[in-house]
Amino acid sequence: MLPTEHRLRRREDFATAVRRGRRAGRPTLVVHLRSGAMDPHAPGESAPPTRAGFVVSKAVGGAVVRNSVKRRLRHLMRERVALFPPGSLVVVRALPGAGDADHAQLARDLDAAVQRLLGGGAR
C-alpha cells in the first residue's frame, strides 16, 4: 500500500499534473509527471514528499477489475516513489489494456514510462 503522505487526493493536484506535466505512454498506462518546483536556497523549507494518484476508468473493466488494477499500481508505485524528485506530482492513468495485463506487464510498462520521464530513455 502507498503511504498516506505519498497519495495524491485533490482534484487540483490531478489537474496540475495532467495539464502542466510531461507524460510518457505505454500500451497499458500513461504516466503524467509534474516535477517539484521549489527554491533549493529558500531557508527552512523542507521538500514536500512526492505524491502519486491513479486514474482507472470504466473502459478498463468492471469494478472488480478496476480495483485490482488500482491495487497493483499502488503497490508498484510504492517501490518507485523514491525515484522522483521531492515535491513531484505523479498521475498514473490506466488504459483499457491494463485490465487484461498481469502484474509483470504493468511493472514493465510503469518502469519504461518512469525511465523515459526521468531522462533515461529515448523517444
Side-chain angles (χ1 to χ4, degrees):
M1 185 61 72
L2 194 63
T4 305
E5 66 270 10
H6 292 292
R7 292 186 193 164
L8 196 61
R9 296 181 182 213
R10 293 181 37 216
R11 179 183 175 113
E12 295 83 18
D13 293 338
F14 275 89
T16 299
V18 171
R19 292 186 185 143
R20 295 189 183 149
R22 298 179 342 188
R23 73 172 185 255
R26 303 301 304 156
T28 60
L29 52 85
V30 177
V31 178
H32 300 269
L33 170 65
R34 172 74 173 169
S35 293
M38 288 189 50
D39 182 11
H41 304 292
E45 245 185 75
S46 64
T50 297
R51 292 180 294 151
F54 306 92
V55 178
V56 184
S57 74
K58 288 184 178 180
V60 173
V64 173
V65 173
R66 291 194 312 269
N67 286 325
S68 174
V69 169
K70 278 188 272 192
R71 280 194 311 272
R72 288 177 183 173
L73 290 173
R74 275 197 306 262
H75 179 76
L76 292 168
M77 276 304 293
R78 180 183 69 181
E79 300 166 353
R80 292 158 179 82
V81 74
L83 299 173
F84 296 97
S88 296
L89 302 177
V90 181
V91 173
V92 180
R93 184 168 43 96
L95 297 176
D100 298 327
D102 62 351
H103 189 78
Q105 179 65 38
L106 287 174
R108 281 192 302 273
D109 285 351
L110 183 61
D111 285 337
V114 167
Q115 184 179 13
R116 182 170 164 201
L117 285 172
L118 295 178
R123 288 191 133 186

